[in-house]
């Protein structure tokens, strides 16, 4: 059983790296942001509660977030473990998490703010299946269309300059201290997230003492 948390600023590749890790090691990938986006897209009550907060780049209230994480982990579909992405994002969430679960490692994807801005401006999301694209590193075959399902590619509602500035500010103010807390109690593997996708994955596997990624195909 392996239980990891992946922490990093927006655009640092948390989603991509956790999916690669989860797929190879049969871990369940739990992204709190994806859960919220699903609710917004499907117009649920929870979606209505979080939509405006997310669009402004602010953090959703701790009680709501902790409830979502608890419910998701209580499904116990994670026989081989999990990778939690986008949580914890502040000290209170970190304390809740540390009290409730033993973690084997914290993956910290480190990316300078300038590079974050460059990447986030290039980010697109399929409106239909949720697949992520990046006009720098992962362009769709047909402009504006998803390679997998043909859905329309849109910019995330919170990927605008004002919301990004707010998310960066919140990240440094609230999430940087989470890393300090984890450093005291757990193993934090800090990875240079400027490197290409495969190199970042190799680096994090090495630092967590995991086998190297299986070659694709
Ligand atoms: P992400 O996809 O991780 O960037 O999350 C998108 C948005 O969902 C964030 O900007 C927050 O509004 C909200 N969100 C996701 N995870 C959390 C969390 N742990 N605490 C509070 N808000 C969150």
């Amino acid at each position: 059983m392996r239980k990891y948390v992946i922490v990093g600023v927006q655009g640092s590749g948390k989603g991509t790296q956790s999916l690669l890790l989860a797929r190879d090691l049969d871990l369940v990938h739990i992204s709190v942001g994806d859960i919220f986006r699903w609710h917004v897209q499907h117009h649920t009550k929870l979606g209505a509660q979080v939509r405006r907060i997310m669009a402004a780049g602010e953090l959703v209230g701790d009680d709501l977030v902790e409830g979502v994480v608890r419910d998701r982990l209580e499904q116990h579909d994670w026989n081989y473990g999990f990778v939690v992405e986008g949580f914890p994002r502040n000290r209170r969430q970190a304390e809740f998490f540390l009290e409730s679960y033993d973690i084997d490692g914290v993956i910290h994807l480190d990316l300078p703010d300038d590079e974050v801005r460059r990447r986030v401006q290039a980010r697109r999301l399929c409106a239909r299946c949720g697949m992520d694209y990046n006009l720098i590193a992962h362009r769709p075959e047909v402009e504006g269309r998803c390679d997998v399902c043909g859905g329309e590619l849109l910019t995330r509602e919170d990927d605008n300059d004002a919301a990004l500035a707010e998310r960066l500010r919140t990240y440094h103010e609230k999430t940087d201290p989470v890393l300090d807390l984890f450093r005291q109690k757990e193993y934090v593997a800090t990875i240079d997230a400027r490197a290409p996708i495969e190199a970042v994955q190799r680096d994090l596997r090495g630092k967590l003492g995991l086998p190297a990624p299986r070659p694709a195909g």
Side-chain angles (χ1 to χ4, degrees):
M1 176 82 71
R2 292 174 170 133
K3 292 180 239 157
Y4 300 113
V5 168
I6 189 158
V7 179
V9 74
Q10 290 70 22
S12 58
K14 294 187 300 265
T16 307
Q17 296 299 334
S18 18
L19 279 171
L20 286 173
L21 189 66
R23 203 176 50 196
D24 216 17
L25 301 177
D26 279 330
L27 309 178
V28 170
H29 170 226
I30 300 171
S31 157
V32 178
D34 282 353
I35 295 176
F36 285 146
R37 272 185 290 280
W38 185 92
H39 282 275
V40 170
Q41 258 181 355
H42 292 84
H43 304 283
T44 68
K45 196 171 145 208
L46 179 63
Q49 282 173 288
V50 301
R51 181 173 176 187
R52 251 184 273 152
I53 303 172
M54 286 179 74
E58 291 162 12
L59 289 185
V60 171
D62 292 331
D63 289 334
L64 243 173
V65 176
E66 284 167 17
V68 163
V69 172
R70 195 182 301 115
D71 289 350
R72 182 62 193 84
L73 288 172
E74 273 172 9
Q75 289 179 24
H76 286 285
D77 55 347
W78 34 278
N79 295 339
Y80 299 100
F82 57 72
V83 190
V84 173
E85 176 195 338
F87 181 90
R89 261 176 149 102
N90 62 28
R91 219 180 155 90
R92 180 181 137 178
Q93 293 179 6
E95 279 159 2
F96 158 84
F97 203 55
L98 287 170
E99 278 163 23
S100 315
Y101 305 94
D102 296 322
I103 312 170
D104 296 299
V106 175
I107 302 159
H108 168 216
L109 298 180
D110 194 21
L111 195 71
D113 289 0
D114 280 355
E115 178 63 12
V116 172
R117 285 190 200 93
R118 200 175 77 91
R119 286 191 184 183
V120 165
Q121 279 159 3
R123 185 149 76 169
R124 298 290 181 275
L125 194 70
C126 173
R128 201 182 293 160
C129 73
M131 176 92 177
D132 258 322
Y133 290 83
N134 190 294
L135 304 185
I136 306 167
H138 176 199
R139 295 189 74 86
E141 304 250 319
V142 178
E143 203 183 313
R145 290 279 151 207
C146 176
D147 293 346
V148 179
C149 75
E152 190 184 359
L153 298 187
L154 301 176
T155 304
R156 258 170 61 166
E157 199 173 2
D158 54 354
D159 280 349
N160 61 69
D161 290 347
L164 177 59
E166 175 61 21
R167 280 189 290 159
L168 281 169
R169 198 188 63 73
T170 308
Y171 182 86
H172 292 304
E173 182 191 320
K174 306 218 161 113
T175 311
D176 282 347
V178 168
L179 282 167
D180 294 336
L181 188 75
F182 278 139
R183 279 193 195 97
Q184 287 162 22
K185 309 209 178 197
E186 305 284 333
Y187 175 47
V188 178
T190 295
I191 320 289
D192 181 353
R194 288 171 304 181
I197 294 173
E198 296 74 23
V200 171
Q201 184 70 200
R202 266 198 310 277
D203 191 9
L204 76 85
R205 299 270 182 116
K207 288 197 167 122
L208 294 172
L210 292 169
R214 279 201 292 256

